[in-house]
Amino acid sequence: MFEGLSGRLSGILDKLTRRGALGEADVAEAMREVRRALLEADVALDVVKEFTDKVRARAVGVEVLKSVTPGQMVVKIVHDQLVATLGSDADPISLQATPPVGILMVGLQGSGKTTTTAKIALRLQSRDKKKVLMASLDTRRPAAMEQLAVLGRDNGVEVLPIVAGQNAVQIARRAEEAARLGGFDVVIYDTAGRVTLDDELMEEVVRVKAAVNPHESLLVADSLTGQDAVNTARAFDGRVGITGIVLTRVDGDGRGGAALSMRAVTGKPIKLIGVGEKMDALEDFHPARIANRILGMGDIVSLVEKAAANIDQDKALAMAERMKKGKFDLSDLRDQLGQMEKLGGLGGLMGMLPGIAKAKDQMANAGINDRMLARQVAIINSMTPAERANPDLLKNSRKKRIAAGSGTSAEEINKLLKMHRGMADMMKAVGKGGKRGPMAGLANMFGMGGGMPDISKLPPPGADGGLSPDAIAEAQKQLEKISGPGGAKLPPGLPGLGKPGLPGLGGLPGLGGFNPFKKK
């Protein structure tokens, strides 16, 4: 969603960082361009004005104009103001109340309220080990209650049984009583929505809230609706009183203005963002990390968190041992591609690595995308175990058979084999890292010296699979090592994130030697 804004702001700030010295006129010109970029991204006018005024006030001060690297100082000021606009600190859903903790879901019809209710329930149940009950209060939309029941059944979450003839307030009270008697930790109320705001909708939500007094009242807003989402948030907060916002369809092609405006206009934190259709595609909203992504600085912390949650620790350890020995066959390559898919695919991964976002257009033009990776996996799956272990067996007749089985061509098979040979050579270089480990081998290969991020220093994940504060702090240090202030000091090649217990993304498989940093 932020790609357009990210491209514009990165271009503006890159111009500043290339200049040796900055005058007030340079800063004023840059702020005019920033203002135009934010307005085109559908950010609210008053938010844009406040943002640019605050950045300009600091950017023309002595700390910038007398700085050794004034352009980098402006980048830092813009970053800090972006974080402040988005809400400064992460503010996740609070469960600090006497069980059952009530969560009221409100919003317009079509914003993804019912699906988000199920996503939050699954998240609390699987990650936080809470016993969750969902209840549909939507008596108007056809099959609304059945939809929540199906989502609950498919994901193993309890749903309040449907009783015909009850109104929303009666269902809410029954859900609260059932949660209390059943020993549930959390009860989530999925209220009805309307196509547009109206008094009847608001009155029903107000009555439900008064009946069950929920601990959290979350507005589900569709980020693709732009400023309408901000107006909806303002209206619900004025009539009902909300404690936070969940933005859905952040993976869509909206312009990002809703997210940037929401906190500033309503004063309410964005707690979660929906980043896909799958039930686990829900993330905590971290203002600093989103600001990093918008400015093209990457988000190593979120990448490491995803890795800790999704990567099979034992399999990664076994892979690391093979890498140390310089072994890397086609089965290993398939495992690497599977790990990339777990981390959000090539597109999701690229958005989290510093500086890579700027190369997305180049990658698209080169045909590098998740579909290409899926074809590569299909090719490998069409091989016999012996062929995967020893690619030298693949002569023309075998390639024809594999091409027919995978729906590809001999040319694509040859490209895959060439890429694998390059990666196998790379793994041998990794294995020669000696006592300093495989990461040192990668660092030498990329010509990075001591600049390779040593993710192996991260403390291990906790019992719940999440990273401890110490681990997050260490990951942030690694991010600074990679990108430097404002995203500088990028490596000349794609960084490989390989470590026992974390993803062994040895040079990012599937790119076929594509290097967005290579000088033309």
Side-chain angles (χ1 to χ4, degrees):
M1 185 175 73
F2 296 109
E3 280 184 8
L5 179 60
S6 176
R8 288 290 304 276
L9 289 182
S10 296
I12 295 166
L13 297 175
D14 281 349
K15 291 179 185 176
L16 290 181
T17 55
R18 285 197 293 266
R19 297 181 182 179
L22 292 180
E24 289 191 25
D26 297 322
V27 173
E29 180 187 353
M31 287 306 101
R32 281 195 297 273
E33 292 186 39
V34 168
R35 178 188 177 94
R36 189 178 300 116
L38 292 173
L39 288 173
E40 289 179 2
D42 205 21
V43 181
L45 180 60
D46 52 345
V47 177
V48 174
K49 188 176 186 305
E50 181 182 6
F51 181 91
T52 53
D53 286 349
K54 287 183 176 179
V55 172
R56 185 184 292 108
R58 288 185 60 191
V60 298
V62 175
E63 61 172 318
V64 170
L65 300 184
K66 300 295 183 184
S67 170
V68 177
T69 55
Q72 296 288 4
M73 286 298 294
V74 173
V75 172
K76 182 180 185 304
I77 291 169
V78 171
H79 175 271
D80 292 346
Q81 191 56 44
L82 263 180
V83 173
T85 302
L86 290 167
S88 294
D89 297 315
D91 189 355
I93 291 176
S94 170
L95 300 179
Q96 302 303 311
T98 304
V101 179
I103 300 176
L104 184 68
M105 307 293 289
V106 302
L108 294 179
Q109 187 175 312
S111 60
K113 190 159 27 57
T114 299
T115 304
T116 301
T117 296
K119 285 182 177 181
I120 292 175
L122 180 62
R123 179 187 178 89
L124 294 176
Q125 188 165 284
S126 59
R127 193 188 71 167
D128 299 328
K129 309 305 178 188
K130 301 295 183 183
K131 188 177 180 183
V132 183
L133 176 68
M134 300 189 296
S136 174
L137 279 55
D138 191 345
T139 59
R140 292 178 175 81
R141 182 166 64 90
M145 292 183 173
E146 287 79 4
Q147 180 188 359
L148 190 65
V150 169
L151 288 171
R153 184 190 66 215
D154 290 348
N155 294 284
V157 180
E158 289 285 334
V159 181
L160 186 74
I162 300 171
V163 175
Q166 289 189 325
N167 62 35
V169 174
Q170 291 171 330
I171 298 171
R173 286 178 175 152
R174 181 162 60 91
E176 183 184 33
E177 181 72 8
R180 186 170 56 80
L181 295 176
F184 286 87
D185 300 305
V186 180
V187 55
I188 306 179
Y189 308 97
D190 178 25
T191 63
R194 301 286 191 284
V195 176
T196 57
L197 292 166
D198 59 44
D199 290 335
E200 186 182 2
L201 166 66
M202 291 300 186
E203 286 300 323
E204 180 176 281
V205 175
V206 168
R207 288 197 304 271
V208 169
K209 186 174 182 181
V212 297
N213 190 26
H215 182 61
E216 289 268 24
S217 298
L218 302 180
L219 170 71
V220 181
D222 185 347
S223 59
L224 297 184
T225 58
Q227 288 306 302
D228 279 345
V230 181
N231 297 332
T232 301
R234 189 188 285 117
F236 268 99
D237 189 40
R239 289 290 297 276
V240 181
I242 60 176
T243 59
I245 298 163
V246 181
L247 271 182
T248 60
R249 296 177 188 159
V250 174
D251 58 318
D253 57 357
R255 290 179 287 178
L260 289 175
S261 304
M262 199 75 78
R263 174 62 186 253
V265 170
T266 66
K268 305 299 179 181
I270 300 173
K271 291 181 176 281
L272 296 164
I273 52 176
V275 293
E277 295 181 4
K278 294 182 180 179
M279 293 307 294
D280 61 351
L282 193 67
E283 296 180 359
D284 287 323
F285 184 82
H286 292 274
R289 301 184 194 181
I290 295 296
N292 282 345
R293 293 189 201 183
I294 291 174
L295 295 181
M297 297 177 185
D299 187 1
I300 293 295
V301 180
S302 290
L303 177 57
V304 173
E305 282 185 348
K306 269 193 172 184
N310 292 297
I311 300 303
D312 185 315
Q313 305 287 318
D314 294 334
K315 187 177 286 189
L317 280 168
M319 173 70 74
E321 288 303 316
R322 288 177 59 80
M323 285 171 61
K324 285 181 182 178
K325 297 174 183 177
K327 295 180 179 178
F328 189 78
D329 62 21
L330 286 165
S331 294
D332 296 324
L333 176 57
R334 182 180 58 186
D335 289 342
Q336 296 280 287
L337 295 172
Q339 288 180 2
M340 288 183 68
E341 185 179 0
K342 287 183 179 179
L343 293 175
L346 190 58
L349 196 59
M350 293 297 98
M352 292 185 184
L353 293 173
I356 305 293
K358 299 175 185 177
K360 277 191 173 181
D361 289 341
Q362 293 174 254
M363 293 173 65
N365 293 335
I368 298 171
N369 51 43
D370 289 331
R371 281 182 294 179
M372 183 195 76
L373 300 186
R375 288 197 301 272
Q376 292 180 341
V377 171
I379 291 171
I380 298 173
N381 285 338
S382 298
M383 297 177 186
T384 65
E387 289 167 345
R388 288 195 287 268
N390 183 12
D392 291 337
L393 294 174
L394 296 174
K395 305 304 179 184
N396 286 338
S397 59
R398 293 180 184 243
K399 288 179 183 178
K400 287 180 181 178
R401 188 201 78 241
I402 293 167
S406 59
T408 58
S409 64
E411 182 183 6
E412 289 178 277
I413 296 172
N414 289 333
K415 285 182 180 178
L416 175 67
L417 294 176
K418 182 178 179 181
M419 180 189 75
H420 171 259
R421 280 194 297 273
M423 291 186 68
D425 292 341
M426 182 186 77
M427 293 308 158
K428 290 178 183 177
V430 168
K432 294 177 181 176
K435 293 181 180 180
R436 294 186 298 151
M439 293 305 291
L442 274 177
N444 291 334
M445 188 186 68
F446 283 121
M448 295 168 62
M452 190 67 183
D454 188 3
I455 298 179
S456 63
K457 291 182 179 178
L458 288 179
D464 61 353
L467 292 183
S468 66
D470 290 341
I472 291 176
E474 180 62 35
Q476 190 63 49
K477 290 180 185 176
Q478 301 303 330
L479 170 61
E480 292 168 3
K481 281 184 182 180
I482 296 174
S483 58
K489 301 178 183 175
L490 284 168
L494 295 174
L497 302 175
K499 165 205 185 285
L502 285 176
L505 300 176
L508 297 182
L511 298 186
F514 176 79
N515 183 356
F517 300 105
K518 185 177 181 180
K519 294 181 180 178
K520 291 185 171 57

